[in-house]
Amino acid sequence: TQLLEQSPQFLSIQEGENLTVYCNSSSVFSSLQWYRQEPGEGPVLLVTVVTGGEVKKLKRLTFQFGDARKDSSLHITAAQPGDTGLYLCAGGENAGNMLTFGGGTRLMVKP
Amino acid sequence: GAGVSQTPSNKVTEKGKYVELRCDPISGHTALYWYRQSLGQGPEFLIYFQGTGAADDSGLPNDRFFAVRPEGSVSTLKIQRTERGDSAVYLCASSLTRDRVRAGELFFGEGSRLTVL
């Protein structure tokens, strides 16, 4: 099983601040997805990155896939209370359709 | 239905009892996944179906856990002789997988919270 480590595990910031969440592995992934999960709900897909070095922007969120396809980062600009939640990265293996999830980063944005 | 439906939403049982958790995926989705999520942690893979067959069951922790998907749609996760350590939220997800090489977007249900006393 390929392991994904996320850091930090917890992050509490004030509204308007910027933050970066990291997802690291020693293994190569064919693709990497980022999900956001709110209490009592299932994770919801934010983005999929598939090419090494790829950068995708989704409004105030910027996602980057490492050149070697072993790591990824999520940067949020001017965080808002609505960004509060559990952010999960998930790596797709080179063969098959199984996704391995990281342990998550729990973000709290205070107004 | 519009989304992935899981029942029951909450299940409280006693140690040693048998439990079934049901997942009704999005219509037409060929891939179905079961994950287990403990408090404050990421989802842990259990099993993945492609159609009726289990394509990967390497995440099932032991032989007390079993899952079926007899008609390629609804799936049931079965847990025998439940233990307190089985307490978690069991998440089901489905995917319309066109690409055989990499996973597509997973659509998750709200989960079934299992508590073993």
Side-chain angles (χ1 to χ4, degrees):
Chain A
T1 301
Q2 298 168 301
L3 297 178
L4 280 165
E5 292 189 2
Q6 290 189 240
S7 61
Q9 288 184 291
F10 303 96
L11 191 55
S12 179
I13 61 173
Q14 292 296 132
E15 182 177 2
E17 293 183 5
N18 301 332
L19 67 117
T20 303
V21 173
Y22 299 93
C23 174
N24 296 297
S25 175
S26 58
S27 303
V28 175
F29 290 98
S30 61
S31 65
L32 198 133
Q33 300 179 356
W34 283 92
Y35 288 79
R36 179 166 165 264
Q37 184 178 22
E38 297 193 43
E41 299 182 8
V44 176
L45 181 69
L46 295 173
V47 78
T48 300
V49 285
V50 299
T51 305
E54 182 176 4
V55 176
K56 279 193 175 178
K57 289 194 173 185
L58 186 66
K59 297 183 180 178
R60 293 176 295 101
L61 278 60
T62 302
F63 304 85
Q64 185 164 8
F65 202 11
D67 290 342
R69 290 187 287 127
K70 292 183 180 180
D71 53 82
S72 181
S73 64
L74 159 59
H75 182 78
I76 302 179
T77 304
Q80 299 177 359
D83 296 329
T84 293
L86 179 67
Y87 288 83
L88 296 159
C89 65
E93 297 183 352
N94 287 322
N97 295 296
M98 201 266 278
L99 277 179
T100 300
F101 280 83
T105 293
R106 188 164 298 281
L107 172 65
M108 177 175 289
V109 182
K110 300 176 184 177
Chain B
V4 177
S5 176
Q6 290 189 246
T7 55
S9 55
N10 277 288
K11 176 70 177 179
V12 180
T13 190
E14 294 180 342
K15 180 173 177 281
K17 298 290 188 182
Y18 170 80
V19 167
E20 287 190 356
L21 306 175
R22 175 189 167 106
C23 173
D24 198 343
I26 293 173
S27 178
H29 280 194
T30 57
L32 185 145
Y33 304 74
W34 283 100
Y35 286 84
R36 176 169 71 174
Q37 187 173 30
S38 299
L39 190 63
Q41 298 183 16
E44 173 194 10
F45 171 76
L46 296 177
I47 186 169
Y48 152 61
F49 288 89
Q50 184 64 256
T52 59
D56 187 339
D57 64 357
S58 61
L60 294 177
N62 51 60
D63 61 7
R64 294 188 298 105
F65 288 74
F66 189 70
V68 294
R69 193 185 186 199
E71 297 180 357
S73 179
V74 171
S75 176
T76 304
L77 179 65
K78 308 180 181 189
I79 310 174
Q80 298 178 321
R81 305 184 302 281
T82 52
E83 300 178 357
R84 292 192 181 88
D86 298 334
S87 296
V89 175
Y90 288 81
L91 293 167
C92 176
S94 69
S95 175
L96 182 60
T97 305
R98 293 192 179 94
D99 190 333
R100 290 182 181 273
V101 173
R102 62 177 66 97
E105 176 179 2
L106 266 58
F107 293 84
F108 283 86
E110 294 185 344
S112 292
R113 180 176 298 279
L114 174 65
T115 303
V116 181
L117 300 176

